[in-house]
Amino acid sequence: MIPGGVVDAHLHLWQLGRFSYPWLADDGSAELRHDYLVSDWRADAEEVEIAATVHVQAEIGHALDPAEETAWLASLGESVPTVCVGYADLRAPDLDEVLDRHQRHALFRGIRQLAWYDPHSAKADVPRENLLDDPRWAAGLRRLAARGLSFDLQVWPHQLAQAAGIFRDLPDLPVVLEHAGLPGQRAEWRDELRRFATQVPHALLKISALRSVSPAWSLDELAPVVHDAIEAFGPDRCLFGSNFPVDRPAVGYGDLWRTYDALTSGYSADERTRMLRTNAASLYRITL
């Protein structure tokens, strides 16, 4: 591992008795249908030197006030999470009021609103409409930029060309493409990822959620995807996250970070430090 510890750029906590999480009702989420709190994360992470953590909104029910999740995290009085990314509907007429409530808390850094979509999906966390088609959504992104906030982008590879058209015109908005751009069909994913990286030079790539690439967490399966991802964006624009506890059924926390360590071992010490530590700290404004 790198000196000083890694920054886990994608962590979730949830408490089922406090918030509703509709996506956890899906059949495929049964293994995750239990509280995951700071104490649980600490038990998982005891083998790993962690410098900081980024909590990414855990898709509480959208009928709830999303700022309540940020308030809950702030109330924990823990060093975990260090900072957080909350939820807001960028199309909503009360967007500025929601952002005001988020920004009452010093750990708040930006917004994630899932923009992947499937008109035929029955999953609670997958929108059935393409938010990228809605001019109100793009206007909401501009509101984030005006406040100095960041945006976590989650889209399918086939949406990347449209997303590039939106985000290249927002050079003042720090944006990170989540979950390695959701690798699927490798050739399409690789081509679209490279094109997005070129067209949106201020965007970063978060390498996370690799359970979807290899449910058995095989280094042989993960390596070509991770290396293609880093090649597309370069070490200056990549960061890593655990996606815990979502990826926990596939791999332990220590083994996950040892895998990341192995996958980046061919890069220079400075490049590895950037990918595993300082790129995330810079994006999410974390003082290490």
Side-chain angles (χ1 to χ4, degrees):
M1 297 288 182
I2 61 171
V6 300
V7 174
D8 184 345
H10 203 97
L11 171 68
H12 300 293
L13 301 172
W14 52 69
Q15 188 171 22
L16 303 188
R18 179 177 293 270
F19 300 111
S20 67
Y21 303 87
W23 67 278
L24 283 174
D26 292 340
D27 291 341
S29 299
E31 288 181 274
L32 303 172
R33 206 172 298 140
H34 54 78
D35 289 352
Y36 193 77
L37 304 173
V38 174
S39 58
D40 301 301
W41 176 83
R42 288 194 187 283
D44 284 336
E46 61 181 357
E47 302 176 23
V48 184
E49 185 180 6
I50 301 291
T53 57
V54 180
H55 184 279
V56 177
Q57 62 95 0
E59 279 298 287
I60 66 172
H62 289 179
L64 303 174
D65 178 359
E68 286 299 314
E69 183 182 36
T70 297
W72 171 61
L73 296 170
S75 76
L76 298 178
E78 301 272 3
S79 58
V80 179
T82 312
V83 298
C84 75
V85 174
Y87 171 78
D89 185 347
L90 299 184
R91 305 164 298 174
D94 65 343
L95 174 61
D96 280 305
E97 296 170 19
V98 172
L99 295 176
D100 285 344
R101 292 197 295 276
H102 277 302
Q103 289 191 280
R104 291 173 187 164
H105 306 285
L107 80 170
F108 177 70
R109 292 294 183 271
I111 290 294
R112 176 176 79 156
Q113 182 178 15
L114 299 177
W116 61 350
Y117 77 104
D118 181 347
H120 307 295
S121 177
K123 293 186 176 181
D125 62 333
V126 179
R128 298 187 184 187
E129 57 186 325
N130 186 3
L131 296 177
L132 278 63
D133 287 335
D134 194 327
R136 297 174 300 169
W137 192 77
L141 292 170
R142 292 193 290 274
R143 298 301 309 138
L144 300 184
R147 290 171 176 257
L149 299 173
S150 63
F151 186 73
D152 273 45
L153 174 67
Q154 186 167 313
V155 291
W156 298 116
H158 73 266
Q159 294 176 274
L160 284 172
Q162 185 180 11
I166 294 171
F167 286 94
R168 69 187 171 206
D169 293 333
L170 294 168
D172 296 328
L173 176 64
V175 57
V176 59
L177 178 62
E178 284 193 341
H179 298 342
L182 299 175
Q185 294 294 324
R186 281 283 300 283
E188 177 197 20
W189 164 77
R190 185 172 53 244
D191 291 346
E192 294 297 341
L193 195 70
R194 289 174 176 172
R195 191 173 296 114
F196 182 87
T198 299
Q199 294 181 350
V200 191
H202 64 285
L204 281 73
L205 180 69
K206 186 186 296 186
I207 299 172
S208 53
L210 297 183
R211 175 189 176 197
S212 64
V213 173
S214 177
W217 204 260
S218 161
L219 188 61
D220 288 341
E221 291 177 340
L222 295 173
V225 172
V226 171
H227 293 153
D228 279 350
I230 296 174
E231 181 183 357
F233 274 75
D236 286 344
R237 298 168 60 194
C238 290
L239 51 147
F240 283 80
S242 70
N243 196 36
F244 251 57
V246 178
D247 277 17
R248 195 171 186 241
V251 63
Y253 196 85
D255 285 339
L256 179 144
W257 285 100
R258 282 187 283 274
T259 300
Y260 289 166
D261 193 54
L263 290 169
T264 58
S265 62
Y267 295 88
S268 71
D270 181 60
E271 289 171 332
R272 295 182 73 244
T273 297
R274 277 179 267 159
M275 288 190 285
L276 295 170
R277 179 178 168 91
T278 55
N279 288 345
S282 177
L283 171 67
Y284 292 113
R285 294 174 282 132
I286 299 170
T287 301
L288 297 176

